[in-house]
Amino acid sequence: KTDSGDGSRREVAAAEVVVPATQPAVTARLLALAEHDNRVQEHLLYLSKHIGPRLTGTKAYDESAEWTRDQFAAFGLEARLETFGEFPVGFERGVSHGRVVAPDERELEFITSAWSAGTAGPVRGRAVLEPKNEAELTALEGRLAGAWVLRTEAPRGGGADSRAGGADTPDPDRDARAKIREALESTEIAGFVRAGSESGLLTMGGNHRVDPDKLPTRVQVRLVHDQFQALVQELESGVPVELEFDIQNRFTPGPVPCQNVIADWVGRERPYEYVIVQAHLDSWDGAEGAQDNGAGVATTLEAARLIAATGAKPRRTIRFILYGGEEQGLLGSAQYVKAHADTLARTSVVFNHDGGSTHLQGLAPTYAMIDDFEQAFAPVKDLDPQRPFRLRELLGLENSGDSDHAPFLAAGVPAFFWEQSEEGYEIVHHTQFDDFETVDPAEQEHSARVVAVAAFGFADLDHLLDRTDMTPLPRRRLGASFDGARVRRVMKGKAQGAGWEVGDVVVSIDGAEVTGDARIGSALQEGGATKIFRLRRENAEFETTIDWNDESAEADRAERGKRRAAFLAAKGRASTR
């Protein structure tokens, strides 16, 4: 189908399609198609609204794997499912509902972890505060059976508070409380209720390693923080509170096979060599999984559709992969790398989209790769003035986090996590807000164009990507974490030694303005080992110098710098580092 100029689409016969013969012509065709007939949001809408959350090992995940396989096949690719493992039991989340019954009726917003117990229908019971000592436990004798116990400690890990450097509330008598919890666990209470983070976010999670012979039975609810605090205040004021939860979590017999989706656009000259475009298909199941990672799945699908629509075959095969089990520890990608070890030396490059729906804005190749990257990305660098694409040259690839590029990088394959602003991503990442409505269509449409151009460009090179000095170097570390450019935590390390304090704002590094924590992270790894930081504290600005020259990794950096200079000299170019 093609755009008719009035917003409608018409069918195009195969004979009408002109297959361009050169890479620039193919790129122009890709960009024209993407401009007038971009369907990335259609893919995302179906994933988010029709299928919904896609927890690995569930029927919804299996449906999404089959649907995406069929989409690839409909585009004209060779598509299949490939089993990467199995989970011991199945898990399905049904509808959940919770409310305050007394002293008045109020709806409650909450989550339960994946692979956790539900209720056998609505369960109503009194709310009680978790006892803090044996005297309080004794006072509750006869009142715990069927009760919902409110645990009043701060939320433990995984939420926005922990990411911001928050700490757990100190527990002065941990052993005593452990004994109390043991006693509660042995009592026929209805379940436990905890508070979510103070930000209001409910962070998803869960452990798929369930023993089929010892299925979880204790209901664990995590309630929006403000609602939880309101309940605590009522109970502390002596107001009787009654709660009701109906949580339709259920286990199904296992083992449950888990599958990746693989689709090939076969190359014309070197079909046994690969460029891989990938994303993870699975999501946590407390929202729609639109940004994490429906966004990456949609750009991967649309890049495949656009390339196939040109009819043009690059020199080598473009392999599109959608993984399961990413959220449980990169299970699908790790098994792919293991199962396809014989193809890794013939895999030129891997591009992984797993950073939400803000537009793809850059990558950081090595000095030996930079020329190929400049060539491949030339068509999109300034395609949209509002969404420029920039390359940063490094002395070694960045080991940039836990996503499906990491197993490839560990196996010596050039693998990249797209750089994005990730603005607002912390609000939706693994939370109840990860829905289709949070995605900006224009951002996604632009990203799909970038992925398609990159995939074809690298697949049509006359050589594989140069792996010289690609091994990641140990990262330079500050001993500080950030909220944007503001210091949110100072730990033992160089920042502490330089007198940094929580609340300081990084204004510039070596004279270059800092706009956020992503820029700080990249600036640390680039250039020389001594850096001048300009900070703002309250209304005053000052400078500190931090030096990494005493670290052993800097010797390796220096040697790579010499090899880079020699590499450039052999090409007749001067080093600017």
Side-chain angles (χ1 to χ4, degrees), residues 206-237:
N207 184 1
H208 69 283
R209 296 180 182 88
V210 177
D211 185 341
D213 299 321
K214 296 180 181 179
L215 296 177
T217 58
R218 179 67 71 209
V219 179
Q220 307 270 0
V221 172
R222 193 170 292 278
L223 190 62
V224 165
H225 187 271
D226 289 349
Q227 292 183 343
F228 182 89
Q229 291 303 116
L231 296 179
V232 170
Q233 290 171 11
E234 287 175 320
L235 291 172
E236 289 179 340
S237 300

Side-chain angles (χ1 to χ4, degrees), residues 272 274 276 319 336 340-348 413 467:
Y272 48 86
Y274 300 94
I276 294 179
R319 175 163 286 178
Y336 174 90
H340 295 267
D342 61 326
T343 69
L344 299 182
R346 294 181 274 112
T347 299
S348 185
V413 179
R467 301 185 181 191

